[in-house]
Amino acid sequence: MPILPWLAGPAAVAAVALPLSLYAPDKPRAELEAAYPGDYLTVDGVRLRLRDTGPRDGPAVILLHGFCASLDTWEPWARSLSARYRVIRFDLPGFGLTGPDPTGDYSDAREARILSDLMTQLGVAQATLVGNSMGGRIVWSFAAQHPERVSRLVLVSPVGGEGATPASDRAPAASFVVGALTKTLAHVAPPRGLLRTALSSAYAHIDALTETTLTRYRDLLLAPGVRQAIVARMGQTFARDPAPALANIKAPTLLLWGEKDGVIPISNAAAFLRNLPHAILVRLPSLGHVPFEEDPAGSLSAVKSFLAGETPSLASDAP
């Protein structure tokens, strides 16, 4: 990538010259915990913010959010599913009010260990795992490693079907840019207008991004240590060939994908279908990357059918 050395200098200068108006201090934890309630459980040294709802003797469903999101993104789905299922969701380490992992390790292996030990602490031997985007990669990786703990798998626009260039193969200039940006990114936050623009590609209908939701995204970005953890995670992202792991997954799998996803296009579903031996794809014709926020009831219909052991329609009627 010969363009990277050319970009390295300007990018580093831009990092230093970011307007002071983008600087934002952390919000006090007590204020955020009052605004965004949850329970807390320490797992492997990480104080996880979580919610555990529904009948304790019901089949367990665990929901994992995507990059820069939180357990709150699942609220409409969780509320509906909790009538029948035990629904567990938590802020992944480095996000929301879980905040940074004290070890500084944000690898998939670390996330899988925390998920496994959380299940053990909660007395959950086996569960349906549901993951969106980055959370999707975490749950399919977990399902490949721990097949005995996964009954079903729901992947909502997941990361990782095609693989990518390993971090170890990045050009030195790219590492230089990341290093130059790190200190700056860890202390800035976009104003509301810029954040709305940044999030817009996740929605087919930007009106679905309400002011309340926008406020939540920004507030939790300002939670103590979160921005530093995000930068640390970005430096630890190692892509790999997903095919061997996907081929090991035995659990029935539902791929749920918005046709208007501007973050991870639905064309990426083809790689998952090639490599997952027990997967079906449900297309959401008019939705984007976070269908559970855009149209909770419409997008959940196929999931409920799948959880009940039925074959959902291959195209949802979501508006």
Side-chain angles (χ1 to χ4, degrees):
M1 297 181 68
I3 195 171
L4 284 172
W6 180 82
L7 285 173
V13 171
V16 176
L18 277 174
L20 289 177
S21 62
L22 293 182
Y23 170 79
D26 289 344
K27 281 182 171 284
R29 172 167 286 278
E31 176 185 326
L32 292 172
E33 289 189 3
Y36 305 100
D39 298 315
Y40 290 86
L41 182 67
T42 299
V43 180
D44 293 334
V46 182
R47 183 174 179 259
L48 296 176
R49 172 184 175 240
L50 60 85
R51 290 184 190 158
D52 184 353
T53 56
R56 289 298 182 270
D57 59 351
V61 177
I62 301 177
L63 308 171
L64 272 69
H65 64 76
F67 191 79
C68 283
S70 67
L71 63 79
D72 308 272
T73 195
W74 299 111
E75 183 61 33
W77 273 21
R79 194 163 50 241
S80 181
L81 289 171
S82 292
R84 179 175 178 182
Y85 300 94
R86 181 180 183 182
V87 179
I88 299 162
R89 53 203 164 116
F90 62 99
D91 292 346
L92 288 163
F95 299 110
L97 292 177
T98 288
D101 186 327
T103 69
D105 183 355
Y106 298 101
S107 65
D108 284 356
R110 171 69 171 166
E111 306 284 16
R113 191 177 312 117
I114 289 171
L115 175 56
S116 179
D117 291 344
L118 171 64
M119 292 174 67
T120 299
Q121 284 192 227
L122 294 177
V124 176
Q126 191 178 68
T128 292
L129 299 185
V130 181
N132 170 236
S133 198
M134 180 194 74
R137 187 190 68 228
I138 293 170
V139 301
W140 67 249
S141 298
F142 182 90
Q145 297 170 34
H146 304 281
E148 75 287 353
R149 307 208 71 173
V150 181
S151 54
R152 290 177 179 272
L153 202 58
V154 179
L155 304 176
V156 186
S157 302
V159 167
E162 294 285 2
T165 303
S168 58
D169 293 342
R170 293 174 186 160
S175 299
F176 176 78
V177 171
V178 170
L181 290 173
T182 296
K183 289 186 178 180
T184 304
L185 290 175
H187 298 285
V188 302
R192 290 178 68 88
L194 185 57
L195 182 59
R196 176 178 286 276
T197 299
L199 291 170
S200 63
S201 60
Y203 297 84
H205 310 282
I206 191 59
D207 290 347
L209 177 58
T210 66
E211 290 302 313
T212 299
T213 301
L214 183 63
T215 295
R216 185 188 77 229
Y217 272 107
R218 193 168 194 276
D219 280 352
L220 295 180
L221 184 63
L222 297 176
V226 163
R227 286 170 288 178
Q228 293 88 336
I230 287 172
V231 172
R233 182 184 288 273
M234 290 167 62
Q236 296 176 28
T237 301
F238 294 87
R240 61 192 185 281
D241 179 6
L246 292 172
N248 283 335
I249 294 173
K250 308 303 181 187
T253 302
L254 171 65
L255 285 166
L256 192 66
W257 222 301
E259 290 187 349
K260 297 186 181 301
D261 190 333
V263 178
I264 304 177
I266 194 170
S267 58
N268 284 29
F272 283 98
L273 293 173
R274 280 198 307 271
N275 294 309
L276 277 170
H278 308 289
I280 59 172
L281 170 65
V282 170
R283 307 168 71 94
L284 302 171
S286 300
L287 297 177
H289 192 61
V290 286
F292 39 83
E293 288 189 12
E294 279 198 277
D295 179 25
S299 58
L300 185 57
S301 175
V303 176
K304 284 184 171 180
S305 295
F306 179 71
L307 293 179
E310 303 167 359
T311 301
S313 169
L314 298 185
S316 168
D317 294 329

